[in-house]
Amino acid sequence: MSALAQRPDDAPVTSGWDRATNILCVRLDNLGDVLMTTPALRALKHSAAGRRITLLCSPAGARLAPHLPSVDAAIAYDAPWVKNLRTADPAPDLAMIEQLRAGGFDAAAIFTVYSQSALPAALMCRLAGIPRVLAHARENPYQLLSDWTKDDVPMDGGRHETRRQLDLVASIGARPPAEGLEFTVRPADREAMRGKLAARGIADLASCIVVHPGASAPSRRYPPELFARVVRELSATAPVVLTGDAGERPLAEHVDVLAGRCATDMAGELSLGELGALLADAAVLVSNNSGPVHLAAAVGTPVADLYALTNPQHAPWGVEHRLLNRDVPCKYCYRSVCPEGHHACLAGVDPAVVVQAAHELLAWRRRACAATQAA
């Protein structure tokens, strides 16, 4: 099949993909990016009987593996073309090529955001002897990719990241039985989470609002003093739980102090599985656009998303939400640090607007729960 050919919706899988039973899926960036790729992973998993999916991902992405029913195994890898703290020593890369070769993969699908290149991963797959490799590419990859989709529309036309990956696998005939994000909440994680919250005096999780003030990129963080005003207002009507990983403890503590200690600070106290369980049981998430937003979407919890205008592709997928930002001339900068230094797309959002969005979503959640119970 020509790389640029258009495949009709009912066209059969070609180029050997229908016979591929051991597929490597490459997604090397952040946890949220892996979550947004799960519908495409499901599509590959279910498009042939007995198919095995192995996820090559960052250590952060690998933490998701026990919660992803479409993933059979995960390999953690800090790739040198992705931001991380590893050294320039090529030994881990050579070892990874040999590990992939030993895996006997008969196909690979490389998933990238619009601003990334798939070609370094494609070269690794070629050196590992994987015969069929699928990815987006801006330039002709020649023999690095057996199947590819031209990546030539500025900012990917604003297409959602999840749709981008679904369209990629659809080009080789793979379509999922459902397009929602995947994350399975394990009973043990829910029990442990509820025990931790009960010890802090919170038993009615269904009325809780979770607030996540952190984000990996500084350009995507709502100012802590504004988050504190949001927390203070919300806590007047509902229990508020602050979350974050261990590295975000000082930020959550800062927000909690500024808010007058009116929230329950659980930053650094929950495992990923427990955080997923908390988001599934809570009423609403208020968060910067970060991994927990996509985790909430995967478990069906509405999100008030403080969405920095760094790019247009990563809004919550398949869940009720409100995108909160201020339109600015410098939007869609694709930068992890605000190049203008003013953070106006987030700093310009009035806390009262955030509180209103959270209350709207609380009302929506209550209506949805009432409708479910009535049915």
Side-chain angles (χ1 to χ4, degrees):
M1 183 187 74
S2 166
L4 300 181
Q6 297 296 310
R7 181 190 298 278
D9 286 347
D10 58 352
V13 179
T14 59
S15 302
W17 282 91
D18 54 337
R19 299 186 299 278
T21 59
N22 187 18
I23 297 181
L24 179 72
C25 292
V26 182
R27 185 83 222 214
L28 292 166
D29 37 14
N30 296 323
L31 181 147
D33 301 294
V34 173
L35 283 166
M36 287 186 285
T37 307
T38 53
L41 301 179
R42 185 192 298 120
L44 288 171
K45 177 73 172 180
H46 290 276
S47 58
R51 181 168 277 176
R52 178 177 174 82
I53 300 295
T54 298
L55 180 64
L56 178 65
C57 56
S58 68
R63 294 165 55 209
L64 282 168
H67 305 278
L68 305 182
S70 295
V71 172
D72 299 288
I75 302 171
Y77 175 50
D78 276 327
W81 57 91
V82 176
K83 184 178 179 181
N84 54 56
L85 299 178
R86 59 165 288 185
T87 68
D89 180 11
D93 311 309
L94 298 173
M96 182 54 63
I97 291 169
E98 291 308 310
Q99 183 175 350
L100 297 182
R101 182 181 292 277
F105 299 105
D106 44 27
I110 302 169
F111 300 103
T112 55
V113 299
Y114 164 75
S115 57
Q116 297 169 337
S117 171
L119 298 188
L123 178 59
M124 176 170 278
C125 290
R126 178 174 174 80
L127 295 175
I130 301 175
R132 284 169 292 276
V133 182
L134 169 71
H136 287 94
R138 286 184 174 80
E139 67 270 26
N140 191 332
Y142 296 100
Q143 295 181 49
L144 282 182
L145 298 174
S146 61
D147 300 87
W148 62 290
T149 296
K150 185 76 169 171
D151 217 0
D152 59 354
V153 179
M155 292 190 296
D156 207 19
R159 176 173 52 165
H160 194 281
E161 178 68 14
T162 297
R163 179 57 60 196
R164 171 182 171 85
Q165 311 312 341
L166 283 168
D167 289 347
L168 179 66
V169 298
S171 72
I172 50 94
R175 290 178 177 79
E179 291 190 347
L181 306 187
E182 281 189 354
F183 185 90
T184 298
V185 175
R186 300 178 298 189
D189 289 326
R190 177 169 270 128
E191 182 179 359
M193 176 275 297
R194 288 179 175 176
K196 291 178 179 180
L197 268 294
R200 302 291 295 274
I202 295 182
D204 181 17
L205 292 172
S207 64
C208 279
I209 299 174
V210 176
V211 175
H212 188 88
S216 58
S219 60
R220 291 189 280 111
R221 296 176 195 155
Y222 192 52
E225 61 274 15
L226 300 186
F227 251 130
R229 289 169 57 186
V230 171
V231 168
R232 191 161 53 245
E233 290 295 323
L234 290 176
S235 66
T237 57
V240 174
V241 177
L242 289 169
T243 59
D245 62 26
E248 292 168 332
R249 279 176 172 163
L251 173 60
E253 168 79 6
H254 184 46
V255 170
D256 195 25
V257 169
L258 291 176
R261 299 286 192 184
C262 59
T264 299
D265 183 2
M266 297 299 295
E269 302 297 325
L270 302 174
S271 68
L272 178 62
E274 291 164 357
L275 176 61
L278 171 61
L279 292 174
D281 287 358
V284 172
L285 170 67
V286 179
S287 178
N288 296 315
N289 197 63
S290 191
V293 163
H294 308 296
L295 189 53
V299 297
T301 297
V303 182
D305 188 350
L306 285 146
Y307 193 92
L309 293 176
T310 54
N311 66 66
Q313 289 101 347
H314 295 166
W317 176 264
V319 71
E320 188 74 14
H321 65 273
R322 302 289 184 273
L323 294 184
L324 307 173
N325 50 56
R326 179 184 173 191
D327 196 14
V328 290
C330 53
K331 65 183 176 183
Y332 308 149
C333 63
Y334 282 88
R335 300 288 291 274
S336 59
V337 176
C338 176
E340 302 297 326
H342 51 49
H343 298 270
C345 62
L346 282 185
V349 180
D350 190 324
V353 173
V354 184
V355 171
Q356 179 182 350
H359 285 154
E360 288 175 0
L361 292 170
L362 274 171
W364 179 91
R365 188 69 183 262
R366 288 169 182 147
R367 290 194 301 271
C369 290
T372 300
Q373 292 171 358

